[in-house]
Amino acid sequence: MTEALLELKDVYISYLGVEAVRGVSLRVTERDFVTVIGANGAGKSSVFNAISGLVKPAKGEIWFNGERIDRLTPPQIAGRGVIQVPEGRKIFPLLTVKENLMVGAFMQRDKKKIAENFENVYRLFPALKERPTAKGIRLSGGQQQMLAIGRAMMANPKMILLDEPSLGLSPIFCQQLSRQLKALHNEGKTLLLVEQNARMGLSLANYGYVLENGELRKEGTSAQLLNDDEVKRAYLGV
Ligand SMILES: Nc1ncnc2c1ncn2[C@@H]1O[C@H](COP(=O)(O)OP(=O)(O)O)[C@@H](O)[C@H]1O
Ligand SMILES: [Mg+2]
């Protein structure tokens, strides 16, 4: 087996003694595109928040790039190159597009690298390039999602965690977002995507995990899961 960039080993997450995630193990290798699909409340965001350090696992281990990270603080984990695009975008509504992107670059000292990252973001998201001085609140939902992803790109991430980017977007914006995420992956980024929209998650990623009530039910290549009768019935509405 190739060395995993990210590995969760038997992770448990509790809130005030109530177990929300039980025994989740998953791995993402470098340059991979992996998805975790699951219904609302399955524990997807909890898993992401454990990876980025916002919640501490009650049990289990999280490893990134050969280092155990589940005892580190969120800024330390971000510093290692794991950047989360949170559910509901969470951009800064009163900052401009450019200012929002600069926030993502706060750990960067290298001016040339920052300029290069701006170019990358604007190439992937021309809609942002057209409105650098627009306040976040003035953008459409789809553009706010682009801005949230762009902000993550500004941090030079080794891996981007995307928490339900399609939530609340119109079908047209979903299609556009799908193309942009594919392009981001093709540029060499390692992506981990959680989605209630299983069809979108599996059509984009190479490999998928199915999370149900805090436990992993299934895993496989996206092709395997798209053809799985249970997955079809429960998640694809077939
Ligand atoms: N901060 C919290 N405090 C208490 N319970 C929480 C908290 N965050 C999530 N939960 C619970 O944990 C379970 C999983 O939630 P979550 O990880 O947000 O699922 P998903 O992202 O798949 O919708 C749910 O039952 C939810 O109510
Ligand atoms: Mg969630």
Side-chain angles (χ1 to χ4, degrees):
M1 232 181 337
T2 38
E3 181 76 11
L5 182 60
L6 174 75
E7 187 163 16
L8 275 67
K9 298 181 183 174
D10 202 28
V11 167
Y12 285 71
I13 299 165
S14 300
Y15 297 104
L16 302 171
V18 180
E19 271 183 357
V21 170
R22 286 178 298 278
V24 165
S25 296
L26 61 83
R27 53 203 314 280
V28 181
T29 53
E30 197 161 0
R31 287 182 168 251
D32 210 352
F33 192 159
V34 173
T35 190
V36 177
I37 60 170
N40 191 23
K44 303 181 299 297
S45 295
S46 297
V47 168
F48 267 18
N49 290 337
I51 297 170
S52 52
L54 297 169
V55 302
K56 293 289 159 210
K59 233 181 91 184
E61 297 179 6
I62 303 175
W63 290 75
F64 184 76
N65 213 6
E67 178 189 18
R68 188 164 172 188
I69 61 167
D70 52 88
R71 307 272 165 74
L72 302 183
T73 63
Q76 287 172 324
I77 294 170
R80 302 299 194 273
V82 183
I83 304 295
Q84 181 169 7
V85 180
E87 190 178 325
R89 348 241 192 261
K90 310 252 165 46
I91 57 143
F92 298 99
L94 299 180
L95 298 187
T96 65
V97 164
K98 192 154 181 248
E99 288 163 347
N100 267 281
L101 293 174
M102 274 312 290
V103 171
F106 79 100
M107 285 184 295
Q108 302 302 320
R109 293 285 165 269
D110 182 348
K111 289 232 169 64
K112 232 175 88 191
K113 188 75 200 166
I114 294 175
E116 203 180 296
N117 286 339
F118 262 113
E119 265 179 44
N120 288 336
V121 171
Y122 286 153
R123 182 161 12 89
L124 189 62
F125 304 119
L128 298 181
K129 187 178 185 175
E130 282 165 25
R131 310 181 65 191
T133 58
K135 291 224 168 35
I137 197 173
R138 296 280 164 220
L139 303 181
S140 70
Q143 289 167 344
Q144 289 185 15
Q145 186 60 59
M146 294 175 200
L147 185 54
I149 298 170
R151 187 177 59 189
M153 290 168 68
M154 293 299 293
N156 271 339
K158 286 202 178 70
M159 172 179 274
I160 302 179
L161 310 175
L162 298 140
D163 193 345
E164 304 221 41
S166 79
L167 207 65
L169 298 189
S170 69
I172 292 202
F173 264 124
C174 275
Q175 281 173 21
Q176 191 178 3
L177 179 69
S178 291
R179 283 194 299 273
Q180 288 158 339
L181 292 179
K182 267 187 200 147
L184 193 58
H185 178 236
N186 288 337
E187 283 172 14
K189 286 281 179 258
T190 309
L191 304 179
L192 180 59
L193 165 71
V194 302
E195 266 298 339
Q196 270 184 69
N197 183 341
R199 195 176 296 282
M200 175 165 160
L202 294 173
S203 71
L204 288 170
N206 306 313
Y207 199 85
Y209 293 87
V210 180
L211 191 64
E212 258 176 43
N213 295 318
E215 293 179 49
L216 287 179
R217 283 282 309 222
K218 268 182 205 290
E219 63 176 275
T221 64
S222 295
Q224 282 167 343
L225 292 177
L226 283 166
N227 278 308
D228 184 283
D229 284 335
E230 272 177 29
V231 172
K232 278 190 195 166
R233 225 175 304 121
Y235 296 99
L236 302 173
V238 181

